[in-house]
Amino acid sequence: TAYLLLSIAAPATVSRNRQPMNLAVVLDRSGSMADQSKIEYAKKAVRTLIEQLQSDDIFSFIIYDDIVDVVREAKPVHDKRELLCILDEVFPGGATNLGGGLAEGLRQVDRYRDKEYLNRVILLSDGLANRGVPDPSELQRMVQRYRGKSVSVTTMGVGLDYNENLMVRLSESGGGNYYFIESPQSLASIFRTELKSLSCVVAQNASISLRLGDGVRLRDVIGCEHRGEGKEVVIPIGDIYSNEHRELTIVLEIPEGTGALNVAKGVLKYDGKRGWLESWPSFATAIRYTKDFSEVDRNRDHETQAKADVAVSTRNVEKALRALDEGRHEDAARELKSAQAAVIASPAASSGGAGASLLMEQKGKLESYQQLLKDSTDDRKAK
């Protein structure tokens, strides 16, 4: 098994004229949004966003409690007064069908999805997904599929009683941003920040086309979905933003051999070259076989080693969280133990420098997940 780390770094750019947006706002209007006037602050924030829309933008508005309601289907913005009147009629309701609201927001954006638009869903909630599709793993897979089609998802969690774990996972898988909003009064400024970030896309609908060497097999892409079989693999990564730095860890199965082997060649492709690069970036990587273990250690890049081990650990954490969501506490504990083992056994753990720091940071996260599992187990025993 070998781990190929791909790093994508975009330059900082400033655009005077922003690209038209295809935007869906998905607003939780469950009963708890009445607390502390959260629904009123949320409406004020959406109003701030509407006032900044342009006539060539596409806008849709979805509200949900236990029922999902498309109060404004995706279409161009012609009359902002109409949108503001629709917003005024939103009031708190019942339970929280977060999955249904998110799915409808993605569908609305998908209707106008095009490389001419910046395609995004903004999900705002203060609660837990307890209706519709409550499975976090299924929701995560849903946003990953759309991310490959250049539809990104930003999540905003309001207050203290919501599934932060889920909201973070959705924004990471969806290629958007995550905001923890402790005070509802800050919602309007958060929406302005989000709108500003949308004007900084440097490459749309990006994907990595990977061609594997003889006998090399792809086993996993940590952090992204992929398609294709055999030697040709495509990894959709969606939009790339100004000054963004993204890393993917690809798990490869390498055949036995001698001499050298060309492991993979790849090219980053995207729509609409907008002044970033004149040609698509590409890379090639090879390995050299040896029976000398000391030679392997001498040539080890400890920072890359640490990043690969953290990625493997993160994959185990994902499995643990999925097991925890499904009530399989013993399986969750086993996966967290595997995640911890990947960090402890890393050759980079004792190297010092950036690699060791990354591993220490991951170790801290694992301890918080283990506490989460313990609290969940204690709650189950108490019941």
Side-chain angles (χ1 to χ4, degrees):
T1 302
Y3 300 93
L4 172 62
L5 182 71
L6 297 186
S7 179
I8 303 168
T13 61
V14 177
S15 177
R16 293 181 180 177
N17 300 314
R18 73 164 173 84
Q19 201 170 346
M21 293 186 300
N22 174 16
L23 187 64
V25 172
V26 180
L27 175 62
D28 180 353
R29 65 147 187 176
S30 58
S32 58
M33 285 291 285
D35 299 341
Q36 301 175 339
S37 301
K38 283 184 280 190
I39 192 70
E40 294 306 319
Y41 286 111
K43 288 162 65 174
K44 181 180 178 181
V46 177
R47 178 182 289 271
T48 300
L49 183 144
I50 289 172
E51 289 170 350
Q52 296 179 71
L53 295 176
Q54 300 173 359
S55 59
D56 54 353
D57 292 327
I58 305 295
F59 181 73
S60 54
F61 188 33
I62 299 92
I63 58 176
Y64 69 90
D65 46 16
D66 47 331
I67 297 172
V68 177
D69 189 5
V70 182
V71 292
R72 211 261 187 181
E73 291 192 343
K75 55 184 175 181
V77 175
H78 294 308
D79 186 354
K80 292 185 182 180
R81 290 174 299 176
E82 172 210 1
L83 299 180
L84 295 174
C85 288
I86 290 172
L87 182 63
D88 288 339
E89 297 302 315
V90 176
F91 300 99
T96 310
N97 185 358
L98 185 150
L102 175 60
E104 187 56 52
L106 290 165
R107 277 194 291 269
Q108 290 295 322
V109 170
D110 196 43
R111 290 175 56 194
Y112 279 86
R113 178 175 54 84
D114 189 272
K115 65 182 180 181
E116 300 302 320
Y117 293 105
L118 301 174
N119 308 290
R120 176 159 293 189
V121 175
I122 298 176
L123 170 67
L124 190 149
S125 177
D126 78 329
L128 308 175
N130 54 24
R131 292 288 189 278
V133 183
D135 179 10
S137 298
E138 178 56 34
L139 294 173
Q140 192 173 0
R141 286 191 290 271
M142 183 196 309
V143 299
Q144 280 179 334
R145 287 193 294 270
Y146 277 92
R147 182 180 186 180
K149 299 192 290 183
S150 276
V151 177
S152 56
V153 175
T154 279
T155 59
M156 301 181 180
V158 188
L160 300 175
D161 187 24
Y162 66 91
N163 189 339
E164 182 178 24
N165 198 21
L166 171 63
M167 299 290 265
V168 171
R169 288 162 69 184
L170 290 178
S171 64
E172 289 179 346
S173 300
N177 301 309
Y178 163 71
Y179 302 94
F180 163 58
I181 304 167
E182 189 170 7
S183 168
Q185 293 94 321
S186 63
L187 266 170
S189 63
I190 292 294
F191 265 73
R192 281 193 289 269
T193 300
E194 175 66 7
L195 199 62
K196 184 178 179 181
S197 77
L198 275 167
S199 64
C200 299
V201 172
V202 295
Q204 281 187 274
N205 198 28
S207 64
I208 297 170
S209 293
L210 202 63
R211 183 173 178 80
L212 302 177
D214 293 339
V216 178
R217 294 177 58 190
L218 186 143
R219 288 172 49 185
D220 195 9
V221 180
I222 300 175
C224 276
E225 292 193 338
H226 62 277
R227 60 177 183 264
E229 295 180 358
K231 289 189 174 185
E232 304 291 339
V233 179
V234 176
I235 306 170
I237 57 175
D239 295 340
I240 299 175
Y241 293 87
S242 171
N243 214 27
E244 181 178 13
H245 182 232
R246 195 184 303 180
E247 291 182 340
L248 308 175
T249 300
I250 299 175
V251 187
L252 299 172
E253 190 176 292
I254 306 291
E256 294 182 356
T258 58
L261 174 69
N262 292 320
V263 173
K265 294 181 178 179
V267 59
L268 176 67
K269 299 180 179 180
Y270 51 92
D271 293 336
K273 298 182 182 180
R274 302 172 60 229
W276 181 20
L277 293 169
E278 293 301 319
S279 60
W280 285 324
S282 61
F283 72 92
T285 186
I287 61 167
R288 182 169 57 84
Y289 292 96
T290 180
K291 294 181 179 180
D292 185 351
F293 286 102
S294 64
E295 184 179 11
V296 173
D297 285 333
R298 284 197 305 273
N299 288 278
R300 193 184 303 277
D301 182 323
H302 288 287
E303 185 173 352
T304 301
Q305 175 79 58
K307 288 178 178 179
D309 291 329
V310 167
V312 172
S313 173
T314 300
R315 180 61 96 199
N316 288 120
V317 169
E318 290 174 3
K319 294 176 182 177
L321 292 174
R322 188 179 307 134
L324 182 59
D325 292 332
E326 295 171 358
R328 296 183 287 110
H329 288 66
E330 291 181 2
D331 290 343
R334 187 161 45 250
E335 292 295 347
L336 282 179
K337 190 174 181 180
S338 296
Q340 196 169 36
V343 171
I344 293 172
S346 174
S350 59
S351 64
S357 297
L358 287 170
L359 292 166
M360 286 298 295
E361 182 182 341
Q362 181 70 359
K363 187 179 177 183
K365 291 180 181 178
L366 289 170
E367 289 171 355
S368 68
Y369 288 129
Q370 286 170 331
Q371 185 61 48
L372 175 68
L373 176 61
K374 182 179 181 299
D375 293 343
S376 177
T377 303
D378 291 344
D379 289 344
R380 184 182 61 161
K381 289 178 179 178
K383 293 177 181 178

